[in-house]
Structures are given as structure tokens and as C-alpha cells.
Amino acid sequence: MHEFELIRSIFQSSMMANTQGRNDILLGIGDDCAQVKVPDGQTLVFSMDTMVEGRHFPFDADPLDIGYRAVATCVSDLAAMGAKPAFFTLALTMPDSDPQWLAAFAEGMAELAEPIGLLLVGGDTTKGPLTITLQVHGYVEQDHTPRRSQAQVGDDIYVTGTLGDAAAAVPIVTGELQVSAERFDYFYDRFWRPSPRLIAGMALKRVAHSMLDISDGLAQDLQHITKASNVGATLQLSALPVSEELLSWKPDCAQTLALTGGDDYELCFTAPKSAREEIQLITQTLHLACARVGEITASGFDVEGYQGELSGWQHF
Amino acid sequence: MHEFELIRSIFQSSMMANTQGRNDILLGIGDDCAQVKVPDGQTLVFSMDTMVEGRHFPFDADPLDIGYRAVATCVSDLAAMGAKPAFFTLALTMPDSDPQWLAAFAEGMAELAEPIGLLLVGGDTTKGPLTITLQVHGYVEQDHTPRRSQAQVGDDIYVTGTLGDAAAAVPIVTGELQVSAERFDYFYDRFWRPSPRLIAGMALKRVAHSMLDISDGLAQDLQHITKASNVGATLQLSALPVSEELLSWKPDCAQTLALTGGDDYELCFTAPKSAREEIQLITQTLHLACARVGEITASGFDVEGYQGELSGWQHF
């Protein structure tokens, strides 16, 4: 497999690798390095994520879905920083160079990357078990970056959208569970097509004290905030937002899935009580559901109404 | 394996992750994203490389060596851009979380990263076959970046150091070939401890028209320059610089290894004839061997004195 030919023929020909009209990208795919001029007054934020076949997504999945989801889950980290997507790199390890697979994978990536202005500027391809590493980069003003370490006692805790669907979808996605066509379509999409909350992240960064995206489950991810901020938290299980589809399918454990299930890629953030009105205004303007689910406390981690143990989401 | 605990306990405790005294790194390991303020007047250059066990390095190799070489080979791309090393990210996929292995691997990375000011600022760890992806980032002024596409007809072609040792070392490194202890030590190091030509790259970028690092073999890599620049090249096989150790071990094929062998990570660059004196001054000041090995022509790719076929270096 010749990495140069592969990358050039398939990825470089994609619109998502077209640097025309982008003053920030001085050099894209093809040289020893890519070269970027970060816009004046902006800082660069970036996140690297690896997805291994059979662990982060099922074997023999549709490459279109894999491509879309790879970009979506990684871009979600930019949303949590309130950053504007700018460019990404791709390290692709695959068993053999399959042009059809690569074309579909690239199409899936471009489906999300193009409309949000996320440009493919470089990477590497190697032979081996299917492993996908993306590094996504965004721009944000230095002074308005919510961090995990800045939650304050008395902050409200919020989550966007609904939680639990992606975890419920896993046995459907792996083929272990047969469901109606309608249910299949809904949950298949909820696993493979998460919506990174980019606009919400950019709008909320000025009012949020701390923010992150929920990849491992609310219970586990919120503890990253409480540990980094040296505070505690109390959640109300009944306040966790779940979809009608999940509630009608699994009325008994929907809230538990919302608490412990991963892979939803919604935002969790904390903000002072004084910001309630502004947050309502922002989320209403964006037509984005946003639920107040608890409060930052001095210490401890409690979920009112929950009996089970609190452990994080394990992938396949 | 809990990625956060792994990264934090082993990598974050390393000096190479210490952001103190670094005004450019606003946020290192631990948040959704790292955050960087690129120094005024500088652009960001970066390169991503993946190394797969059994393909780019032998199975069961010393993790200290793997760590050192991973940083060295990736940093070599910064040298080819004349850039100053700044920071890097690490995506590590490994079969199981072995603290001893990780500590040695981190130590090997730090051995090179620390003295050159290359800071570890983020990454991801996942379970799977041993696969290492690094993205290294550097800073360089916008106006002085040699590119592959800017070789000009009449340019001299130069290479730094000596070539062929790393390719000759492969059967020694894999254990297929038994040699004397002295020969083993020399060639083992030549494979595992390449010297990225950072200072040379920074000094030469103002006189070089085009530059790259030799990872796949001079014959193959030089063709990246000739293709991108739409020119040809003529090399003199007898002019290719080889080490005394290689010449005394393999007098018959040393030059061929220098032409086609990969993994040496020396610089190859082209520069106008008018720059000969300046280049001599620069490389003498740096005590760096630098050989004039050919000339950029209008078209074709010839190696005077070479009979064989020209194909690139294949890894394990």
C-alpha cells in the first residue's frame, strides 16, 4: 500500500481537502507537514481520538457510517470548548487498501466535515487491523474557554438533547437484537449519527463555568468535572432528559441508561444560577432541548432516585 | 483500561508534559482539548505518523527504543520544514495496560522530546494491537518554508549525514542476522536512534528551494520532490555518502543501500549553485556531513552508475 497514492487519490480529491478560499491553511495534504496560520486573536484547540474496530464500533460496519461517526465524535470535543471547527488529520490503519471502502469512508467524513468547514489537511495510512485516529482542530478566543476545572459550588448542571439512546442502540447496531424497522432506523441513527453541539457550545461558552461532551456516560463524565474542580454534585435521576422513543421502548430503565450510557455526545455544562434566563434564551433560540439536571455541591457524588452502582460505559 | 488514569499517571507525571514556563501551551493533558497560542509571527506546521508493531518496528522490541524512535522519526518531518519543535500528541493502542512497558516507552519519548522542547499535550489510549500514532507540531516563520514543489532545474541535490545504515540494520534488529558485538551496537543504534536534523533544517531553510526527510529511501523520496516540482533529477551513485562501518561490512552494496534503503531520516534538499559556499559554511559550522549527490534536471530520473531497478523501501 502506498500511502501517498492512497491519500492523494481518494482523500485529496474530496471537497473536504480543498484549501481554496481558506486563508488559514497555507499547506494541506502532500508535503512533510501541513502548515496553518492561526487567525489573529484566536487560539488553537485540538483533540485526538482513536477508534478500534470491534471495540468502538462493530466489525464489518458500513464505512460511510464509520467515517461520519469518526468525525462527529471527535468534533464533539471542539463543541465542549466552544470552538469553531477548522481542520483535521487522519491516521488510518487498515488491513488492505480497498478503494470502495475508502471512497465510502471519505464520503461519510465529508458529509459532516464539509458543511462545518472542517478541512482534511494531512495524515498517514498504514497496513494493520482497522484503527482510525483523528485529530480535530478548532479556533477559539483565549478568554472564553470553559474548562473542566472551573465548576463552582452552587452551579446548576445542565445537559443538552436527550441521553441514553446510543447505549440502548448498541445491541441493535451489533445485530444481537432484532427490532421493528421503525425502531431500528431511529436507534441506528442515534448510534451512528451523533450531532456534535457546535453552535450550542459556541453560544454557551460565555455563561458556562465548565463544560464537556458526554462520551462515557453522564455519571462518569460529570465526575471528570467534579474531580478537576474539586467539588461534588447531586443529580436528579428523574430530571434526566430521555427521548420518547427510549421511554416507550424501555420505560423501566430509560433514566438509568441516560445516567450511565455513553456515546450520546451531548454537552454537559455547569453555570451559575444567575445565568438561568440567558441559558433559556440561548437554547430556545437554537431550538435545542436543554435540561437542568442537578447542582454542584461542596463534595460527594449523589444521584437522587438511583439505586445501582455508578460505573462508566464500557464499549464493545 | 481507563485512558484517563493511564495517560495521567504515566505520561502526565513525565517532565515532557510539564507546561510550566511555556507561554504557548494554555492547556495540556486532561481537558476535552489541548489549547495553544501560536507565537506572534509564527505559523504552525505539523505531521502525523503511525507505527504498527511488526511492520514499522519488530515485535517485542524494547519500549524505550520504540518511544525514542517514534518521536525521532516524526520530529524529522519538522526538520524538513525548518521548524522549531513545539508540542505533540500521542494515540496509543496497546493489547493491555502494562505499567512497566508504558513507563519505559514514556522514558524513551522523553529522552528526545525534553531536550528539544517538544511537550506532550494530549492524546488517547485504546485497547488493540500495538499501534502508535504521533502528531508533532512546530513553529516556523511563514516566509521561509522549503516545499517539495519548489525545486528548480539546475539546483544541486544534497543529503546530510550518511545513508544506508538503517536499512542494513534491519536483519540485525529483527534478530535474523548474528554479527559481532561491535557491529551490533553500531547498527542497532542506527536503526533505533535516528538523529532528526532539526538545527540543520532551521539553518538550511533560507537557502534550500526544496527539502524533505528520507524515510522511504533517497530514490523514492527524491521522486516526491521531482514530481511535485515537475522536474527531473540525476544522481551520482558514487557520490552517495555512506558510513565507514557500512562500507567495511558491505563494500559491494553500500551505495545501493544508500540509494534505496529507508529509515535513515537524513535531510535531502535542493539549492541553487550560487548557494554552495553558504551551504558549506552552515554545515561546517554545525559539524554536519553534507554531500552534493546530483542535480535537478528538466525531466527523467537517472542514477549514474546504478544498474538495478528503482523501487522504494518496504518496511518489515
Side-chain angles (χ1 to χ4, degrees), chain A:
Chain A
M1 189 182 331
H2 294 285
E3 62 175 295
F4 297 98
E5 291 163 28
L6 252 184
I7 292 186
R8 284 199 183 154
S9 67
I10 294 174
F11 295 120
Q12 200 164 12
S13 66
S14 165
M15 274 302 293
M16 71 178 156
N18 187 340
T19 58
Q20 279 193 335
R22 283 286 296 259
N23 298 330
D24 56 333
I25 311 293
L26 306 178
L27 205 50
I29 296 174
D31 232 290
D32 287 277
C33 290
Q35 187 177 25
V36 167
K37 176 96 187 71
V38 176
D40 287 343
Q42 303 282 306
T43 67
L44 184 79
V45 294
F46 48 94
S47 175
M48 185 183 236
D49 278 305
T50 299
M51 288 137 276
V52 180
E53 185 178 41
R55 186 158 181 85
H56 300 90
F57 57 86
F59 285 101
D60 298 320
D62 185 340
L64 193 86
D65 289 332
I66 298 172
Y68 188 98
R69 188 169 179 275
V71 174
T73 59
C74 210
V75 158
S76 179
D77 286 317
L78 296 181
M81 304 295 279
K84 186 179 178 314
F87 56 90
F88 76 109
T89 50
L90 164 70
L92 179 61
T93 302
M94 57 188 302
D96 45 63
S97 163
D98 175 347
Q100 256 190 311
W101 191 98
L102 279 163
F105 176 70
E107 192 188 330
M109 290 200 303
E111 192 181 330
L112 178 58
E114 266 186 48
I116 62 173
L118 187 77
L119 221 68
L120 179 63
V121 298
D124 197 6
T125 53
T126 48
K127 199 178 168 74
L130 185 58
T131 307
I132 300 158
T133 295
L134 258 68
Q135 182 159 318
V136 298
H137 309 69
Y139 302 138
V140 70
E141 299 88 356
Q142 184 169 345
D143 296 335
H144 294 288
T145 320
R147 298 186 177 187
R148 292 183 176 187
S149 61
Q150 290 174 356
Q152 288 171 27
V153 176
D155 274 5
D156 291 320
I157 303 169
Y158 296 85
V159 296
T160 61
T162 64
L163 300 176
D165 281 351
V170 169
I172 295 175
V173 162
T174 58
E176 287 166 65
L177 189 67
Q178 305 296 316
V179 293
S180 69
E182 198 184 345
R183 185 159 284 163
F184 180 89
D185 289 347
Y186 175 80
F187 283 95
Y188 185 93
D189 250 36
R190 291 291 287 164
F191 180 85
W192 283 111
R193 304 265 161 161
S195 303
R197 300 301 184 187
L198 287 164
I199 309 287
M202 288 185 236
L204 290 165
K205 70 184 171 195
R206 282 178 173 75
V207 291
H209 282 154
S210 65
M211 185 150 65
L212 51 63
D213 67 317
I214 305 173
S215 54
D216 296 327
L218 175 60
Q220 181 163 320
D221 286 326
L222 181 56
Q223 289 182 55
H224 296 314
I225 286 181
T226 57
K227 277 178 194 163
S229 301
N230 200 23
V231 294
T234 299
L235 292 173
Q236 278 81 44
L237 188 68
S238 60
L240 301 187
V242 295
S243 69
E244 284 176 33
E245 289 80 358
L246 185 61
L247 201 60
S248 71
W249 182 29
K250 294 175 178 286
D252 294 338
C253 68
Q255 244 82 26
T256 299
L257 282 167
L259 178 68
T260 60
D263 288 333
D264 285 310
Y265 297 98
E266 294 292 346
L267 294 177
C268 170
F269 62 98
T270 79
K273 291 193 177 68
S274 59
R276 283 184 186 178
E277 216 172 316
E278 194 175 351
I279 288 167
Q280 201 178 14
L281 192 67
I282 289 171
T283 53
Q284 278 176 352
T285 307
L286 298 175
H287 301 287
L288 177 68
C290 185
R292 189 146 44 81
V293 297
E295 189 176 330
I296 294 295
T297 59
S299 65
F301 194 89
D302 302 300
V303 185
E304 292 174 1
Y306 182 68
Q307 311 293 334
E309 251 187 75
L310 288 175
S311 67
W313 170 242
Q314 297 300 318
H315 298 282
F316 299 97

Side-chain angles (χ1 to χ4, degrees), chain B residues 60-71:
Chain B
D60 298 318
D62 186 339
L64 194 87
D65 289 332
I66 298 174
Y68 189 97
R69 187 170 180 271
V71 174

Side-chain angles (χ1 to χ4, degrees), chain B residues 92-112:
Chain B
L92 179 61
T93 302
M94 59 188 302
D96 45 64
S97 162
D98 175 346
Q100 256 191 311
W101 191 97
L102 279 162
F105 176 70
E107 192 187 331
M109 291 201 303
E111 192 181 331
L112 179 57

Side-chain angles (χ1 to χ4, degrees), chain A residues 30-36 43-47 49-50 77 87 89 91 124 135 137 145 147-148 212-213, chain B residues 30-36 43-47 49-50 56 77 87 89 91 124 135 137 145 147-148 212-213:
Chain A
D31 232 290
D32 287 277
C33 290
Q35 187 177 25
V36 167
T43 67
L44 184 79
V45 294
F46 48 94
S47 175
D49 278 305
T50 299
D77 286 317
F87 56 90
T89 50
D124 197 6
Q135 182 159 318
H137 309 69
T145 320
R147 298 186 177 187
R148 292 183 176 187
L212 51 63
D213 67 317
Chain B
D31 233 289
D32 287 276
C33 291
Q35 186 177 25
V36 166
T43 67
L44 184 79
V45 294
F46 48 94
S47 175
D49 278 306
T50 299
H56 300 91
D77 286 316
F87 56 91
T89 50
D124 197 6
Q135 183 160 318
H137 309 70
T145 320
R147 298 185 178 188
R148 293 182 176 188
L212 50 64
D213 67 317

Side-chain angles (χ1 to χ4, degrees), chain B residues 35 119 121 142 154 182 192 206 225 233 244 271 283 301 311-312:
Chain B
Q35 186 177 25
L119 221 67
V121 297
Q142 183 168 346
E182 199 183 345
W192 282 111
R206 283 179 172 74
I225 286 180
E244 284 177 32
T283 53
F301 194 90
S311 66

